[in-house]
Amino acid sequence: MAKNYVKYHKKTDVGPNQRLRRRSVFLILLILVAGFGAVIARLAYLQLVQGSYLQEKAVEQQLTDTTVSAKRGTIYDTNGKVLAQSASVWKVVLAPAYFETEEQRVQVAKDLAEILELDENDVYEKTKQNSYYVVVKRKIESDTREEIIKLQEKIEEEYNLSNVIQLLDDYRRYYPYNDLASSVIGFTGSDDQGLEGVEYQYDSYLTGTPGRIVTAQNANGTDMPFQYEQNVKAEDGNSIYLTIDETIQSICEKYMKKGIEDNAVANRGVCIAMDVDTGAILAMVTVGGYDLNNPYKLPENTQKEIDALPKDKQGSATSAALSQMWRNKAISDTYYPGSVFKIITASMALNEGVVDDNSTFYCNGSMTIADAKPIHCHLLSGHGTQNFTQAICNSCNPAFIQIGQKVGTEKYWQYYQSFGFSERTGIDLPGESEDIFFSQDGSMTSVDLAVASFGQGISITPIQMITACASVANGGYLVQPYVVRQIVNSEGNVIENVDNKIKRQVISKEVSDKMNEILEYNSTTGGANNGYIAGYRVAGKTGTSEKLTSTNGSEDYIASFCGYAPADDPKIAMLVFFDTPTGASYYGSQVSSPVFINIMSEVLPYLQVQAEYSDEEMQYVDTTAGAYVGMSVEEAKSKATEAGFTTTVKGDGDKVVSQIPAVSAKIPNGGNIVLYTDSSSEKEKVTVPDLVGYSISEVNSIASNSGVNASISNAGASSAVVSVSQDIEPGKEVSPGTVVTVKFAASETLND
Amino acid sequence: MTSFQSMVLRADVNRIYDEKYRDEQHYKSEKRFIRPEKNRGRDKKNKKRGWIVRGMGIDLPFCLIILVLLIIGMIMMFSASYPVAYYTMNDSYYYLKRQLIFAVIGVAVMLGLSFFNYNKLHKIAPLVLGISYVALLLVLVLPSNNGVHRWIGVGTFGIQASEITKFAIVLFFAHWGSKYYNKMQYAKYSIVPGVIIFGTTAMLLILEPHFSCTVIVFILTVLMLYISGMRVKYIAVGAVGIIAVIIVLWLTGGLGYAMTRMGGWGQALVYTDETMWQDTWQTRNSLYAIGSGGLWGLGLGQSRQKYLYLPEPQNDFVFAIVCEELGFIGAVIILLIFALLVWRGITLSLRAKDKFGKLLGIGLTAQIGLQVILNILVITDWLPNTGISLPFFSYGGSSLIMLLAQMGLVLSISRTANIEKQ
């Protein structure tokens, strides 16, 4: 034992107690220095060296960014009428990760599907996702919202789930006028982004800046109590004032739709009204438009055609039909302008001084250029010898071929460019097309020049045509057309005023004045009074152009009318064209002129253009009936005669008890006022005669024989007019003296 | 004998009697402690200090360190747990309330055991080890929790069998080391029983499976044998043996569970796929929390990672939240308190009057230091995430009571320690 101890002692050189102490001290050092040292070093590295990086990563997952939608700006017409507006709606968002049981999912899916009118299985699929944000339905209205709130309360009560269904603010676009100016305004998509028209073109202005709410959230996505929240307010979008005038637009649409129906137009129509001095578009119609509140709904017959197709072709057919429906024909489609283009050819010839009032042109019915086939005039017998004005009024093709030859190909191309046909007009709408000329560099053959001088062979857009026409009217200045005149912010402060832009002067003021004179003559007293509006000085030109395409083997045409008023100081220019009329006539003078006249005769008074009637016109101009009730018969008679009316007295009384037409009612100049002296005679009736198909004097005599007044509407200064309609049907029983409005039209005008 | 002489004698006798009486009184009051002669008559200041140090007969600084850690741990555990308690239990105080109850019980057990004669454990140490083995076998037949068999008992009042194991290992080797202290240089008294005991224990633990505890048991075995006097070269031999065992386990697929727990170890920030991203979720968010703390921390209660980003922030990863809220400074201060506990625990154990006390005290104290180090290395992604709790901080009733009971034994040991005698 002792030996062992000694041996041990020698080996370790310490006693057992010393050994324990020494080893324990070593242990302490090991734990404290090595162990704790390593731990502290590790913490120092993580907290001091990597601290900011790790904190950044932590904050990244803790903070949640919620986007607050900005309200999209409003689109107004030029007078502040709302054309497009966003209103508050809601979106229903599901946080299915909160669901605890299958039963809850099934029940909530069932309830939601019922309220939101969705497929139950689709909703159920959404409840199975392990997510905190699944959009169930967007843009729900406030009544649906009420039901959702009730459902939220029910779920909270039954399952103690409070955040599973959420309602978030959203906006919906409303278009109060439905299809009005649809191709101009455009519409928005599901994310409130502009897809067509002004909505697309000015999307960045209208959209505004979405706000953000940055909050700290726990891993389940609900707010953390620690104080961190940063709000960036949503900035609502800017609002836009269009140059479009809702009243003018409505008038245009009304008559364009009528024109489409009356002439069985196959391929839509376009009407553009422009302020000639500024280029502001007052109305731009593509009929038929579409309901902006329901832009994916095709016209019924188109939808039927598509439904009849095989299933696999329906999708592409639908999208083709939709893009066709949304297409703004006024700027996206090109066409042969036809005779309307003679305005331009005539202007360039006058401006170059190659023609004057004394120039004469001979037409024998056709003309042969080089080796090509002869080009016929519409009047096959020929117009004979004409001066410049007559050539325009006759719309004589051979005459214009000669004018074109005088201008020459080089100058023709130069003016073609200067009138803005070779470039986009730059109108602030999406989808504007380019022209198609004979060649890229402007070179053309003599045959090309011949057809181009009367508007065939060159494809241009309607907006180019009206802009060029405006430059002829306004003293020669080519303007840039535009539809937005002002941008205001959400507080109503003006951000941007769009100034009208004059690109260049194309023709001289003198030439412009001369053209106004010639075109006014053309539309009123010239060969055809197809642009005549009583009291107003209208300048214009008809056009009937052949299309390259044809339907059912017969030639397709575009019937158009381009004009402006008043001719002595042009304010508004307007182009009306119908693509492929298939009715009784395809001539511009018969299809488009009446529409132009109807629109202008409403628009010009609206624009407060003073009507000035000639003496001849005055006899057809309506006036208003005076007040004769209460007077003695003698007194009433003399007063009425003084005012230029004739009188018919009914009954045996001494005093006038009533009158037809009533006080202030419309009555033609020199019309007959029926004065009643007792009530029994008021029951007397007369029958309205058939007044269609007669001259003005015939109508007047038939009307007076029947005991009614005829109000003559739209009769030209020339006597070659015939009545075409009356506002009260023949055969109807009316009181004597009732005013029947009779419309007149040119009897035979085919001068295209 | 003159009367004077007799008077002097009487006075002497009286004085001696008085002193003897005083000693007796002292002995009675101090029970088992014998104050050494030379410490008597120290100046007032020292007397006062001595009283504070040895006030109730236990080592007061050690006891205070424990209580300080317990209080800090409780506060931090509450801070870390209240969001998760609120969201999952609907009661922010859920964990705090329970931990408080266990802490009160635990402190009572600790103080009670400080009066317990730890020497009574000397002879029953093999029995305790046997009981721990029975417990380890028992959990295998009890229903598993998350695929592992660890808990004995019902509901919240269960105890992890491995808690008993760790204590039993320290106790057994303290018993063994003190019994064969002078023979520890021989292999058959050191490495041989070490391998046998560890091998048996490890086998049972791997069946649970509970790898982190296996690691702790291994380190504790080596540590106990080392301070008992085992030759250093055997440690090397043991290490080689363990590596061999690990290789065998690896080849037979027994490491499966640990390997899955190790999936993404050290990769928490460079996750490459969804699975790894999920696997390293807890560690990654622990690193985010630790890093977010920086030098000074976000402030008490200001952790953001505890809002459900860091799963179970009240358990093993509580110190990540401590780092986030109190920063590097706070973390180091807490680590220093732990260091103080280790230093004081080991030094006071060294003053115990017997080998068994010394070894037991050192073992129990070192175990705490070991768990602190391993726990923090886990939450900082230097060790695989295998479930090592942080003493005094991590939530868990039975382990807290167990921990405080062990500290009670260390306090009991401190009663025998001679503070002034080195």
Side-chain angles (χ1 to χ4, degrees):
Chain A
M1 189 72 201
K3 204 179 170 187
N4 269 345
Y5 184 80
V6 170
K7 187 179 164 197
Y8 175 75
H9 217 94
K10 271 184 182 166
K11 273 213 152 183
T12 58
D13 218 26
V14 280
N17 281 325
Q18 252 55 43
R19 186 185 69 200
L20 175 59
R21 178 171 297 276
R22 207 191 56 175
R23 288 193 168 194
S24 296
V25 168
F26 178 70
L27 183 67
I28 291 174
L29 287 175
L30 195 70
I31 291 174
L32 298 191
V33 177
F36 279 62
V39 161
I40 288 170
R42 179 66 174 156
L43 287 179
Y45 173 73
L46 287 176
Q47 298 198 272
L48 307 182
V49 181
Q50 284 217 291
S52 50
Y53 164 74
L54 290 169
Q55 183 162 23
E56 211 173 274
K57 300 285 273 182
V59 165
E60 209 172 275
Q61 70 175 7
Q62 290 154 358
L63 299 187
T64 307
D65 221 338
T66 313
T67 307
V68 183
S69 322
K71 188 177 178 182
R72 194 174 172 86
T74 305
I75 299 176
Y76 300 99
D77 88 330
T78 191
N79 299 317
K81 288 182 189 164
V82 173
L83 300 179
Q85 195 168 38
S86 287
S88 281
V89 286
W90 293 268
K91 63 180 160 196
V92 182
V93 172
L94 208 56
Y98 288 122
F99 281 118
E100 286 154 0
T101 65
E102 190 62 19
E103 180 221 333
Q104 292 173 355
R105 285 191 188 94
V106 171
Q107 187 59 44
V108 169
K110 186 167 167 270
D111 291 345
L112 269 181
E114 200 184 312
I115 294 171
L116 300 174
E117 289 161 1
L118 297 170
D119 183 62
E120 197 179 319
N121 281 330
D122 292 350
V123 181
Y124 174 69
E125 285 303 315
K126 287 179 178 174
T127 63
K128 287 205 295 191
Q129 297 178 29
N130 183 26
S131 160
Y132 296 97
Y133 189 92
V134 180
V135 177
V136 183
K137 192 170 181 180
R138 314 181 70 128
K139 304 194 193 298
I140 63 156
E141 307 277 346
S142 61
D143 50 341
T144 316
R145 177 174 168 261
E146 297 299 320
E147 289 183 56
I148 294 287
I149 289 171
K150 272 183 205 150
L151 179 64
Q152 282 176 326
E153 285 162 2
K154 185 189 137 193
I155 292 168
E156 166 110 54
E157 215 171 273
E158 280 181 30
Y159 306 125
N160 198 26
L161 292 174
S162 52
N163 284 325
V164 95
I165 301 174
Q166 290 157 15
L167 282 163
L168 302 180
D169 282 351
D170 206 350
Y171 293 103
R172 187 200 183 106
R173 204 76 172 147
Y174 289 97
Y175 301 91
Y177 293 95
N178 299 317
D179 64 347
L180 184 92
S182 52
S183 62
V184 177
I185 300 168
F187 56 94
T188 58
S190 56
D191 290 325
D192 228 18
Q193 79 281 28
L195 292 180
E196 291 282 337
V198 169
E199 292 273 31
Y200 174 84
Q201 188 79 14
Y202 287 87
D203 197 35
S204 57
Y205 288 94
L206 290 163
T207 303
T209 317
R212 294 168 72 203
I213 299 175
V214 181
T215 45
Q217 303 204 318
N218 66 31
N220 282 356
T222 49
D223 285 347
M224 248 192 234
F226 100 87
Q227 294 299 310
Y228 187 88
E229 186 165 311
Q230 204 184 336
N231 284 327
V232 181
K233 255 192 90 181
E235 217 173 283
D236 288 348
N238 298 318
S239 291
I240 280 177
Y241 282 89
L242 299 182
T243 57
I244 303 280
D245 187 316
E246 185 270 324
T247 307
I248 300 175
Q249 180 81 22
S250 295
I251 293 167
C252 292
E253 296 206 356
K254 178 175 73 183
Y255 288 111
M256 285 303 288
K257 278 174 188 162
K258 189 167 179 293
I260 293 268
E261 283 165 23
D262 290 352
N263 298 290
V265 175
N267 202 8
R268 309 202 293 171
V270 161
C271 172
I272 307 170
M274 181 191 272
D275 181 321
V276 293
D277 292 321
T278 61
I281 303 294
L282 303 175
M284 182 182 274
V285 184
T286 302
V287 278
Y290 51 99
D291 184 358
L292 293 172
N293 292 312
N294 203 355
Y296 293 90
K297 188 173 184 285
L298 286 166
E300 264 175 46
N301 43 357
T302 313
Q303 189 61 52
K304 269 183 199 156
E305 279 171 35
I306 289 169
D307 289 344
L309 289 172
K311 276 262 184 270
D312 56 322
K313 287 186 180 154
Q314 285 183 0
S316 59
T318 302
S319 59
L322 283 174
S323 69
Q324 183 61 32
M325 181 174 77
W326 295 333
R327 196 174 168 87
N328 187 349
K329 198 175 174 68
I331 61 168
S332 302
D333 281 7
T334 58
Y335 76 117
Y336 289 164
S339 297
V340 168
F341 199 80
K342 285 170 182 163
I343 299 172
I344 307 302
T345 313
S347 300
M348 57 177 92
L350 277 179
N351 204 50
E352 280 300 301
V354 295
V355 293
D356 56 33
D357 283 344
N358 303 320
S359 308
T360 55
F361 309 94
Y362 183 73
C363 164
N364 64 3
S366 75
M367 201 167 167
T368 309
I369 309 294
D371 302 330
K373 279 195 288 180
I375 297 165
H376 292 282
C377 189
H378 57 89
L379 190 65
L380 295 174
S381 57
H383 289 101
T385 306
Q386 315 149 74
N387 66 19
F388 185 61
T389 307
Q390 286 168 330
I392 295 174
C393 292
N394 291 336
S395 197
C396 175
N397 287 349
F400 267 85
I401 294 171
Q402 291 159 45
I403 295 170
Q405 282 169 340
K406 285 179 187 242
V407 173
T409 53
E410 208 172 297
K411 285 286 172 195
Y412 185 94
W413 169 241
Q414 203 177 307
Y415 276 97
Y416 182 85
Q417 286 174 300
S418 33
F419 272 111
F421 293 114
S422 60
E423 63 195 6
R424 292 191 175 95
T425 62
I427 189 171
D428 47 350
L429 283 173
E432 190 183 356
S433 290
E434 280 183 316
D435 71 310
I436 304 164
F437 195 68
F438 301 102
S439 62
Q440 291 283 321
D441 59 356
S443 59
M444 55 204 289
T445 65
S446 53
V447 179
D448 292 342
L449 177 64
V451 294
S453 59
F454 56 89
Q456 288 291 138
I458 46 170
S459 281
I460 58 167
T461 60
I463 190 71
Q464 281 177 326
M465 188 62 238
I466 188 74
T467 309
C469 178
S471 75
V472 171
N474 67 13
Y477 300 97
L478 187 74
V479 292
Q480 180 169 320
Y482 63 98
V483 295
V484 169
R485 67 168 178 88
Q486 195 176 61
I487 299 171
V488 297
N489 67 12
S490 53
E491 278 98 50
N493 301 319
V494 176
I495 290 179
E496 209 176 308
N497 263 320
V498 179
D499 290 327
N500 51 298
K501 189 173 155 196
I502 292 171
K503 289 177 170 174
R504 56 186 161 264
Q505 188 166 11
V506 185
I507 55 169
S508 67
K509 177 87 175 85
E510 291 70 39
V511 171
S512 169
D513 288 346
K514 180 78 188 163
M515 284 305 298
N516 293 349
E517 208 177 284
I518 296 171
L519 291 173
E520 184 190 3
Y521 179 76
N522 173 53
S523 66
T524 52
T525 51
N529 55 356
N530 40 36
Y532 172 76
I533 300 167
Y536 292 103
R537 303 177 66 177
V538 176
K541 182 76 193 76
T542 54
T544 308
S545 48
E546 292 175 23
K547 286 179 76 178
L548 282 177
T549 58
S550 61
T551 47
N552 308 327
S554 68
E555 209 80 50
D556 280 354
Y557 293 93
I558 286 174
S560 60
F561 190 100
C562 187
Y564 47 91
D568 53 337
D569 178 22
K571 282 193 162 57
I572 176 171
M574 191 159 78
L575 171 68
V576 171
F577 98 76
F578 291 99
D579 190 343
T580 322
T582 62
S585 170
Y586 55 81
Y587 288 109
S589 54
Q590 303 210 316
V591 174
S592 299
S593 294
V595 174
F596 179 88
I597 291 163
N598 282 334
I599 294 171
M600 275 297 195
S601 48
E602 282 194 33
V603 169
L604 289 172
Y606 171 75
L607 290 176
Q608 295 180 324
V609 175
Q610 284 296 321
E612 289 165 22
Y613 297 100
S614 62
D615 290 345
E616 202 182 346
E617 286 170 342
M618 276 307 280
Q619 59 179 311
Y620 308 128
V621 171
D622 290 338
T623 181
T624 52
Y628 308 108
V629 175
M631 293 178 179
S632 71
V633 173
E634 286 309 309
E635 196 184 350
K637 267 185 164 180
S638 74
K639 288 262 179 190
T641 314
E642 239 171 75
F645 300 115
T646 58
T647 53
T648 307
V649 180
K650 299 271 178 185
D652 305 323
D654 299 329
K655 285 198 165 185
V656 177
V657 295
S658 67
Q659 65 176 78
I660 286 180
V663 180
S664 299
K666 194 173 82 165
I667 179 170
N669 268 329
N672 184 37
I673 293 180
V674 181
L675 302 168
Y676 293 96
T677 55
D678 55 37
S679 52
S680 61
S681 57
E682 286 175 25
K683 285 167 191 160
E684 209 179 298
K685 296 284 178 191
V686 293
T687 309
V688 175
D690 185 350
L691 297 168
V692 172
Y694 301 101
S695 69
I696 295 172
S697 54
E698 284 170 333
V699 166
N700 277 335
S701 78
I702 296 167
S704 74
N705 287 341
S706 304
V708 295
N709 284 303
S711 167
I712 308 301
S713 164
N714 205 36
S718 85
S719 51
V721 289
V722 64
S723 54
V724 290
S725 69
Q726 61 189 83
D727 68 344
I728 301 176
E729 289 168 47
K732 203 173 175 193
E733 297 275 313
V734 294
S735 299
T738 299
V739 177
V740 180
T741 303
V742 183
K743 275 199 175 181
F744 285 78
S747 52
E748 194 64 26
T749 47
L750 301 176
N751 291 0
D752 274 29
Chain B
M1 198 185 273
T2 64
S3 69
F4 174 75
Q5 274 174 322
S6 73
M7 274 178 73
V8 169
L9 197 65
R10 272 186 78 90
D12 269 3
V13 169
N14 279 343
R15 188 175 57 85
I16 290 163
Y17 176 79
D18 282 354
E19 279 181 1
K20 190 185 176 190
Y21 175 76
R22 212 164 56 216
D23 278 357
E24 269 174 3
Q25 290 301 105
H26 173 75
Y27 184 80
K28 276 177 190 163
S29 69
E30 294 286 332
K31 295 267 152 78
R32 289 174 288 108
F33 292 97
I34 303 149
R35 286 190 77 176
E37 205 71 10
K38 65 175 179 184
N39 285 339
R40 287 211 195 146
R42 285 231 165 179
D43 57 62
K44 250 186 179 174
K45 197 182 161 193
N46 270 358
K47 257 186 188 166
K48 203 168 187 181
R49 187 168 155 264
W51 185 85
I52 290 167
V53 170
R54 305 192 51 230
M56 297 189 301
I58 54 169
D59 187 58
L60 213 52
F62 187 75
C63 186
L64 283 174
I65 291 167
I66 288 167
L67 293 176
V68 165
L69 281 173
L70 187 61
I71 288 162
I72 295 174
M74 195 78 67
I75 292 166
M76 295 318 297
M77 194 284 298
F78 170 58
S79 176
S81 72
Y82 78 77
V84 75
Y86 174 77
Y87 288 117
T88 59
M89 302 295 175
N90 233 341
D91 175 11
S92 299
Y93 302 100
Y94 179 87
Y95 294 107
L96 178 69
K97 282 193 273 194
R98 279 158 184 75
Q99 189 82 337
L100 257 177
I101 293 165
F102 292 122
V104 169
I105 296 168
V107 170
V109 169
M110 176 177 81
L111 293 176
L113 279 175
S114 74
F115 292 102
F116 173 74
N117 185 354
Y118 62 87
N119 271 310
K120 286 181 181 164
L121 293 172
H122 201 337
K123 282 183 182 139
I124 62 160
L127 181 68
V128 172
L129 187 64
I131 290 169
S132 86
Y133 286 168
V134 171
L136 285 176
L137 286 168
L138 193 60
V139 288
L140 292 179
V141 298
L142 289 172
S144 68
N145 186 3
N146 290 334
V148 294
H149 303 266
R150 285 185 186 172
W151 291 86
I152 293 176
V154 277
T156 47
F157 293 94
I159 185 166
Q160 286 205 50
S162 54
E163 294 289 338
I164 305 171
T165 310
K166 283 185 282 184
F167 172 68
I169 288 289
V170 172
L171 181 65
F172 177 80
F173 283 108
H175 158 77
W176 185 271
S178 57
K179 191 171 176 187
Y180 302 107
Y181 187 77
N182 291 330
K183 295 177 182 172
M184 286 305 284
Q185 68 271 33
Y186 303 118
K188 71 169 180 178
Y189 290 105
S190 53
I191 183 78
V192 173
V195 168
I196 291 167
I197 298 295
F198 171 70
T200 316
T201 316
M203 216 169 63
L204 290 167
L205 283 171
I206 286 164
L207 286 175
E208 281 197 30
H210 198 167
F211 289 95
S212 57
C213 187
T214 316
V215 173
I216 291 177
V217 165
F218 172 70
I219 298 175
L220 285 176
T221 307
V222 174
L223 188 147
M224 291 304 291
L225 289 170
Y226 171 71
I227 59 169
S228 307
M230 181 176 75
R231 290 191 179 177
V232 177
K233 69 177 180 190
Y234 293 141
I235 295 176
V237 173
V240 169
I242 288 302
I243 289 164
V245 168
I246 287 171
I247 289 169
V248 168
L249 284 174
W250 178 56
L251 290 176
T252 56
L255 278 176
Y257 164 79
M259 290 313 285
T260 58
R261 287 304 290 259
M262 272 189 245
W265 167 34
Q267 309 272 302
L269 295 176
V270 289
Y271 47 89
T272 50
D273 58 44
E274 184 71 19
T275 323
M276 199 189 235
W277 190 76
Q278 289 289 350
D279 286 351
T280 59
W281 174 278
Q282 194 172 29
T283 314
R284 180 172 55 259
N285 278 289
S286 162
L287 291 179
Y288 286 170
I290 294 165
S292 296
L295 183 63
W296 296 103
L298 299 175
L300 184 61
Q302 300 298 306
S303 160
R304 296 156 199 178
Q305 284 293 98
K306 65 188 177 189
Y307 287 94
L308 310 184
Y309 288 104
L310 182 62
E312 302 189 38
Q314 77 280 15
N315 285 339
D316 297 354
F317 282 78
V318 64
F319 201 71
I321 303 299
V322 173
C323 290
E324 190 184 4
E325 296 194 344
L326 305 182
F328 181 66
I329 298 285
V332 167
I333 288 172
I334 288 169
L335 285 173
L336 286 179
I337 301 173
F338 270 115
L340 216 57
L341 176 91
V342 171
W343 174 78
R344 187 74 188 180
I346 293 177
T347 49
L348 82 80
S349 302
L350 279 173
R351 285 192 286 272
K353 66 171 185 167
D354 52 55
K355 285 269 169 353
F356 176 66
K358 286 181 212 267
L359 292 178
L360 184 64
I362 292 168
L364 293 176
T365 310
Q367 187 202 327
I368 290 172
L370 199 61
Q371 284 209 190
V372 172
I373 293 162
L374 292 179
N375 173 269
I376 294 172
L377 292 184
V378 165
I379 66 162
T380 57
D381 203 23
W382 260 5
L383 286 180
N385 180 4
T386 56
I388 295 170
S389 61
L390 185 67
F392 304 110
F393 281 70
S394 292
Y395 174 76
S398 63
S399 65
L400 184 66
I401 291 173
M402 193 71 196
L403 175 72
L404 287 169
Q406 294 178 31
M407 292 303 99
L409 289 178
V410 177
L411 286 176
S412 163
I413 292 163
S414 77
R415 285 188 195 277
T416 73
N418 185 339
I419 294 299
E420 303 303 327
K421 184 189 151 197
Q422 287 265 311

